[in-house]
Amino acid sequence: MTRRDLPPTASVAHQGEDARMHAPAAARNADAITEALCAIAPETGRALEIASGTGQHAMAFARAMPGLDWQPTEIDADRMASIDAHATAAGLSNLRSAIPLDATEAGWGAAHGGQALIVLVNLLHLISTPEARVVVAEAARALARGGVFAIYGPFLREGRATSDGDARFHASLVAQDPALGYKDVAEVEGWLEAEGLGLIGTRAMPANNLFLAARRPG
């Protein structure tokens, strides 16, 4: 199952007057994610955002990191339109139009190689473990030497959720499909290392989320 199959409650966004969609969660966490990215991102090069959603994050990232050429991606047509509408409104020369990409399908890493930075926000808990392994493996292949892969989202710690709210959300995802749900942070760090990436660090973020970063050796 990919994110397109999930019910709308898993990823809430509201339609505006034009094609731009607005996700309350993206509005809340954009500043914190952007700050964490700025601390580890290369100054220049190509940047690929996986599953860009409404485009709110891509707009914030491109504005804060003008030396990077940002390429947002999505699988949903309405959200691709939203990304492009946000990009048009922002008027940023380093933010490209969205392109279709299902990062859970093998093979995309070779087609999108040479990335200085790859960003993944709030996806791993919405896909299965085999799909998550594909995302990590293909992202590692798409990185340039010295490139960085950053992952943000909710995780289990030692197999457990860290709050009652996280436990409920994790349980609701598993009830929809037993293949879904929070991944354990140690397991994901192991996947990154298995693909030849060196861990930069894991950063605690608001609302019990984590920000993981790993680098391809240069």
Side-chain angles (χ1 to χ4, degrees), residues 146-196:
V148 175
F149 182 27
I151 304 173
Y152 168 91
F155 293 89
L156 301 176
R157 277 80 145 182
E158 297 181 348
R160 298 180 180 178
T162 56
S163 73
D164 290 342
D166 283 302
R168 287 192 296 270
F169 185 36
H170 171 65
S172 74
L173 293 171
V174 173
Q176 293 167 31
D177 185 330
L180 306 184
Y182 289 20
K183 310 303 184 284
D184 194 276
V185 61
E187 185 177 31
V188 177
E189 290 171 341
W191 299 344
L192 293 166
E193 291 181 317
E195 296 300 334

Side-chain angles (χ1 to χ4, degrees), residues 15-177:
Q15 187 72 53
E17 293 182 359
D18 54 17
R20 284 178 289 179
M21 301 174 75
H22 299 271
R28 288 193 301 269
N29 62 33
D31 288 347
I33 299 172
T34 301
E35 179 183 355
L37 276 175
C38 286
I40 54 91
E43 292 187 2
T44 60
R46 298 167 59 199
L48 182 75
E49 186 187 16
I50 299 170
S52 299
T54 63
Q56 291 163 266
H57 285 149
M59 183 174 59
F61 301 159
R63 182 177 289 120
M65 291 163 270
L68 289 168
D69 182 13
W70 287 88
Q71 177 61 73
T73 70
E74 249 300 330
I75 57 175
D76 179 80
D78 289 340
R79 291 180 184 243
M80 288 182 69
S82 176
I83 294 165
D84 292 347
H86 277 291
T88 298
L92 299 169
S93 61
N94 66 323
L95 180 55
R96 297 180 176 231
S97 298
I99 59 172
L101 175 65
D102 185 346
T104 66
E105 293 186 356
W108 64 264
H112 297 279
Q115 304 294 330
L117 177 66
I118 298 177
V119 181
L120 176 67
V121 174
N122 281 338
L123 180 66
L124 292 187
H125 59 295
L126 302 180
I127 58 179
S128 69
T129 292
E131 288 173 328
R133 295 291 308 260
V134 170
V135 172
V136 170
E138 294 298 329
R141 295 185 183 105
L143 287 174
R145 293 189 180 276
V148 175
F149 182 27
I151 304 173
Y152 168 91
F155 293 89
L156 301 176
R157 277 80 145 182
E158 297 181 348
R160 298 180 180 178
T162 56
S163 73
D164 290 342
D166 283 302
R168 287 192 296 270
F169 185 36
H170 171 65
S172 74
L173 293 171
V174 173
Q176 293 167 31
D177 185 330

